[in-house]
Each structure stands twice: as structure tokens, then as C-alpha cells.
Amino acid sequence: MNKFTTFSVAILASTFTIQAQDINQAKKAIDAEQFETAKTMLKSIIKDKPSNGAAFFTLGNVYLTQNVQDSAKIYFDRGLTASDEGKLNYIGLGQMDLDKSDLTSAQSKFAMATKDMRKKDFQEYIYVARAYMNADKPDYKTAITTLNKGVAYNAQDAQLQLALGDAYYGDSKQNEAYVAYRNAFQADNTLLRAKMQLGVLLKGAKSYDEALKAYNEVIALNPNYGPVYRELAETYYKIARNKPSQAAANYKIAMGHYDKYMSLTDYSIHSRMRRADFLILIEDYVALEAEANKMIELDKVNPRIYRYLGYAAYKNGNVDVAIKSLKNFITAPGNKAIALDYLYLGLTKIKKGTSADELTIEPAAFEAGMVDIKKSIEMEPLAVQELSEVGKKLFGQKLYSETAAIFEFGANTAESTSYLDDNVYYGLAIYYANINKAKGVQVDAVALQKADAAFDKVLVASPTYLEAYLYKARTNRLLEKDDLMVKNYEDYVAKTTELGAEELAKPAIKTKIVECYNNMAASFANTDKAKAIEYFKKTLALDPENSYAADSIKILK
């Protein structure tokens, strides 16, 4: 769930007696995701009434939503001294503690914010629950427990039910989330966020047509409610991913809805960043690079822009721009670099060291890139999934040693969706790297043993992938382990024979079985001539013109 989705409605919960209308207008702007407008309103309220602690808290939360922690902390700290509801700001500071994984400090601040609550108060519980939900590592179960304290006092409150819906949704309790969202909208039929979230639930269940219908019902109530167009955009993105043949058309529709969302919110640097995030999702890197350059014109010092420019430049082949931009982002003080930042930096370094004909890579450039890639995977093991297509391209370029180095990460990450493919390519790359060694150069026995182990993993994950037996045999032949080679070839012949005469009659299969018989025969030539002749005769039964088998029988006799 998007952070600003869960936060924006939290601010709607309470009613203030001082400058209530102005606060309510700011909250409406936040719910509509017009954050710059809301910030202007809130700063005006604070200027006119510095004692309004709720305004400081609300403004600090807007900055948290925009990932501007320094500004958020400034307003939370200032808000603590406000005489009217200043303690709310402990909740904002508590969320910042959660972001730093300091649970003890966060709980202490939440306790300070709630210790003087009147018996029937419950709004603070909503704020605390949303802090748990909006933290970098959300804790939805604690949020639900916190919200249930408020349910005891006012179970029908629309904002409380909306928060419960978000918490249940985050905790993957779809039925409970549906009930809470429905209750929220029934309690307040102007609460479009709750009705929209019913569509979000349908999107999550892959009921895309029903989700679109739900969003259109929201638009019928208010065609200028911006967030619903963002949800429409993200739903069409999901449709595109599930219907590859229609992806281009659905991506175009998605982008149209996202542009509509932008027109109804604002075109600030932060909203442009949200649009840039969406461009990454739909993989429109040409548009992303253009957007990043526009953002640099608006804000030359915001380091996050360099992440977008780095990603886009990498995808568009502008390696020097990509390297410079990603380094600028990663080294900027206060930035939180993620695995993908290092992954793209590493891959860009490798791309820069690749020759124009793509047949060679400078060893130093490859090693430098691998350092960043390794760091990326240490941060997020599933980043290996991003490497699969890169490895396959290297394999196609016959850069087998480099291919093996890339696929080794995924071959050892069982949770990866590309685990099977990665092991196949890892084993193949090592095998081909060794059979292509220059004459007189010794094979890499350690690597070949890893290849053999990779093919074992393939057979566990996919027992019907019979080619793995062949490549195990070929690998063990390079290792001069004839006993294992024979066993592997025997396994291939036995498993293939089980598939029936029609499979055995295929020319490609015949060729492979001939390979099995000839190599098994050769392995017995010096130790068991009768068995060697037996296997060569099996070859001739399949291929009477096979000169190697015929000549070998003559020699053995």
C-alpha cells in the first residue's frame, strides 16, 4: 500500500475547535494528495496560531509522506511546545523512531502522546496505528491491536473503520478489510477514500474488471477526486502485465490516467517523483529520462532525482550519465540507497566495459561491476531476479565465464522466481566455458563440480528436465569421472525410454542417445571390451552409418 494512501486519511480523523475550517480544508487537500497546497495552508495556520499543535503534527506528517525527514522533524519538534494538542507530535517523532528500528523509543513517545487521553477519546489511537502502518517496516498487527482500543469507545466512527480497513489490508486479511471499508463508507458517504479502497481490494484479488467498476463509481460521485485516477493507472498497469499481447495499449491507458491524476493534484517536484516511480513500473525509460531532466531543472539539489536519471540512462544505454547519476545519488548525505541502486550501477560499469561488438568485456570493468552487484544482493537477496535477462544476454554473446559469474548469485537463491533457470544457465555457462578453453589449458575442476551440483538442483526442481542428465554426463566427462559419466548417461537413456517409442524416434533424441552409447562404450574400451562392443552395437542399431562406432568395434575385436 502506498505510504501516502494510508497517511492521507489519518489527518481527517479529529475535529479541532481552533481554526477548524482551515484545518479541514488542509485535510481535504491532503486526502486529494495535493500536498503542496496542504503545506501552504498549514504553514499559514501555524503562522497565525503557533499554539496549534495539530497543525504542526499534520504538516510534519505531510513531509514524512514526501520522505523529507529533516523538515518533518523540525515541525514535530516545534509542535511539542504548542499549547493546543502539542502532544500529538510525539506520535510523528515516534514514527521516525520506527523508521530507525528503535521500537523502545517509539513506544515511549506513543505513551507520552496518549497518557492524558480522556476516557472516551480514541483519535490518538488512529494516529498511533497509522504510525505503525506508515513506518518503513509496517507493523499491521500492532496497528490493529491499537485501533481495537478505539473500537471499544466508538466502533462506528468512519475514520476508525477506514484505518482498520487499511490495517487489515496490510495484514492480508481481505475479508475483514472489506467489511471495515464498507462500514466506513456507510458511516460517511462523503468518504471517497473508503469506497475507492474497495476497488483496491478487488485489484489485489486480480478482479480487474470489478475494480474498474468500483473506481468508476467513485468518479461518478466526484470526477475531480484525483487519487482514484492513480488507482486506475495502477490497475491498467496490472492488466498490462497479465495480458502481454495487449500491454502497449494498456500501458498507454494507464499513463493517461496517471496524467489525469497529476492534473488534479500538483506538478511539484514530489508529485513528479511519484510520476517517475510509475514510469519505472511501466518501463518507459525514455519518458523517465526526459522527466528526470525536467526535475533537475526544477530542483538541482534534490539527490533523489539522480536515481531516476541513473535508472533511465542505464536502460537507455547512456552509461556515463548513468554511472555519474547513480554515484551522485548513492554518495549524497542522508540518502537511503537501495539494492537496485547498486545493481544498476554495477551493471552499468559492466556495460561501459563491453566492446562495441559486445564480444568482450574488460576484466577490470567486469570486476568493478561485480563488486556493486554483490553489495546489491547482500542488501536484498531477491535482487538476483533482475540479473536473469542480463545473464541470458551474456550467454547469447558466448561470454560464458561472465555468464556464470552473473548466474551464480541466483543459482544459490532458492526463493528466487528464476531459481530453476538460473541453475540451468549457471551449469551450462561453466560447461561451455571449459569446453572452449584453449588447447592445453586445464579445465576448472572446482567450477565444473559447481556445474554438476547446479544440474542436480535443476533435477530436484524439475525432474522432467532430462537435458540435465546429459549435461551432468558431459561435465563429468570433462572431470574424467567416468563412473559418474556412465551413470548420468544411463539415467538419460532410461528416463527418455520411459517416454515411449514416439519420443525415441525423434531425430534429435536419437542423436543424444547415440552420444550416450558412444561415450559409455569409450569409457569401457580399456577395462571391459565386451561391454564397450555392446554399447557400440546399440549405437549402430540406431545409426548404422556411425563410423566411430563401426571403426571402434573393429579395433576392439
Side-chain angles (χ1 to χ4, degrees), residues 392-405:
K392 289 176 183 178
K393 183 177 179 182
L394 291 172
F395 188 85
Q397 295 162 211
K398 299 184 178 180
L399 296 168
Y400 297 122
S401 294
E402 293 84 353
T403 300

Side-chain angles (χ1 to χ4, degrees), residues 286-297:
V286 173
L288 178 63
E289 191 163 0
E291 184 67 60
N293 283 313
K294 287 178 184 176
M295 288 192 285
I296 287 174
E297 292 176 9

Side-chain angles (χ1 to χ4, degrees), residues 64 69 73 76-77 89-112 131-132 134-137 336:
L64 274 189
Q69 283 80 7
K73 189 174 188 310
F76 290 143
D77 285 339
N89 291 278
Y90 281 121
I91 299 172
L93 292 168
Q95 182 182 326
M96 297 187 76
D97 284 335
L98 290 176
D99 291 341
K100 293 182 288 188
S101 299
D102 190 345
L103 179 60
T104 300
S105 182
Q107 290 175 336
S108 174
K109 289 182 174 66
F110 296 153
M112 286 188 280
Y132 279 111
N134 293 335
D136 287 346
K137 296 178 181 178
K336 292 181 180 179

Side-chain angles (χ1 to χ4, degrees), residues 482-483 485-487 490 516-536 556:
D482 284 7
D483 54 338
M485 176 195 73
V486 170
K487 182 183 184 304
E490 286 176 341
C516 297
Y517 289 149
N518 278 348
N519 279 288
M520 285 192 287
S523 75
F524 288 113
N526 294 321
T527 59
D528 190 338
K529 290 185 179 181
K531 199 161 192 175
I533 290 171
E534 177 189 344
Y535 278 123
F536 280 132
L556 289 169

Side-chain angles (χ1 to χ4, degrees), residues 428-463:
L428 291 177
I430 292 173
Y431 170 72
Y432 284 115
N434 279 277
I435 64 169
N436 288 328
K437 284 185 180 294
K439 188 175 181 180
V441 177
Q442 199 170 25
V443 298
D444 186 338
V446 173
L448 286 167
Q449 287 166 1
K450 290 180 179 180
D452 186 54
F455 292 128
D456 282 335
K457 292 178 185 177
V458 171
L459 288 168
V460 170
S462 180

Side-chain angles (χ1 to χ4, degrees), residues 30-43:
I30 293 167
D31 182 57
E33 296 172 20
Q34 297 168 348
F35 297 120
E36 297 306 310
T37 300
K39 279 157 53 174
T40 300
M41 290 180 177
L42 291 164
K43 287 175 182 178

